[in-house]
Amino acid sequence: MHVEFDEPTPPKGEGQGRGNSGVFLHGLYEIQVLDSYENKTYADGQASAVYGQYPPLVNASRPPGQWQMYDIVFHGPRFDKEGKLTRPARVTVLHNGALVQDNVELSGPTANGARPPYAPQPEKLPLALQDHNNPIRFRNIWIRELN
């Protein structure tokens, strides 16, 4: 998946209140969108974090007002006919060309301050862009299915 986003300029707020949004893979697994340029927040809530699970390997954020991009390789979880997890979800993320998530294994859906367990789900679910009442702009979103 490729997605580009633009944080508000001039910046407003701080921490999680500054340009907060998210890219939800399968509607359950969030890659955090946040203005992390010279903006302190908790580690697994920064831009390009697997929200609540993995901080990014590096802060690759550009200043507000410059388009940023994520390239995301996502392999969803798989379940057998009885609903037992046979393969956890994995994700690799490049933020502005820098490797920030390196094939990490997700512990389940992402959440604030919680680690929900996996539950049986279809192999294909929708993409969602989070609305946190911050004026984030998105463009050039495309998805290529991997075999």
Side-chain angles (χ1 to χ4, degrees):
M1 157 178 206
H2 177 87
V3 60
E4 298 174 11
F5 60 95
D6 183 34
E7 296 289 350
T9 186
K12 295 179 180 149
E14 56 187 51
Q16 291 293 300
R18 188 165 138 181
N20 193 333
S21 186
V23 175
F24 276 84
L25 308 163
H26 281 201
L28 298 168
Y29 311 98
E30 180 182 5
I31 305 303
Q32 176 75 323
V33 171
L34 188 78
D35 178 357
S36 289
Y37 185 81
E38 298 179 354
N39 180 30
K40 293 181 181 180
T41 190
Y42 48 92
D44 57 11
Q46 296 178 60
S48 71
V50 176
Y51 188 77
Q53 294 187 22
Y54 293 101
L57 296 171
V58 65
N59 181 345
S61 295
R62 296 178 178 152
Q66 293 185 22
W67 284 97
Q68 307 206 48
M69 69 178 131
Y70 286 162
D71 290 298
I72 301 169
V73 178
F74 176 71
H75 297 277
R78 295 294 182 258
F79 301 86
D80 64 18
K81 291 179 183 179
E82 288 75 42
K84 180 181 174 190
L85 180 69
T86 59
R87 184 185 83 192
R90 300 187 79 82
V91 68
T92 297
V93 180
L94 287 92
H95 182 189
N96 297 325
L99 180 66
V100 292
Q101 301 291 343
D102 189 9
N103 195 34
V104 296
E105 183 176 293
L106 282 62
S107 63
T110 58
N112 183 9
R115 291 282 177 113
Y118 282 104
Q121 64 187 63
E123 288 189 9
K124 293 183 182 181
L125 289 167
L127 167 73
L129 300 175
Q130 185 179 46
D131 178 11
H132 252 306
N133 295 318
N134 291 178
I136 308 299
R137 297 185 306 162
F138 291 93
R139 72 176 187 189
N140 199 19
I141 300 169
W142 55 267
I143 298 172
R144 183 170 59 95
E145 188 171 349
L146 301 174
N147 294 326

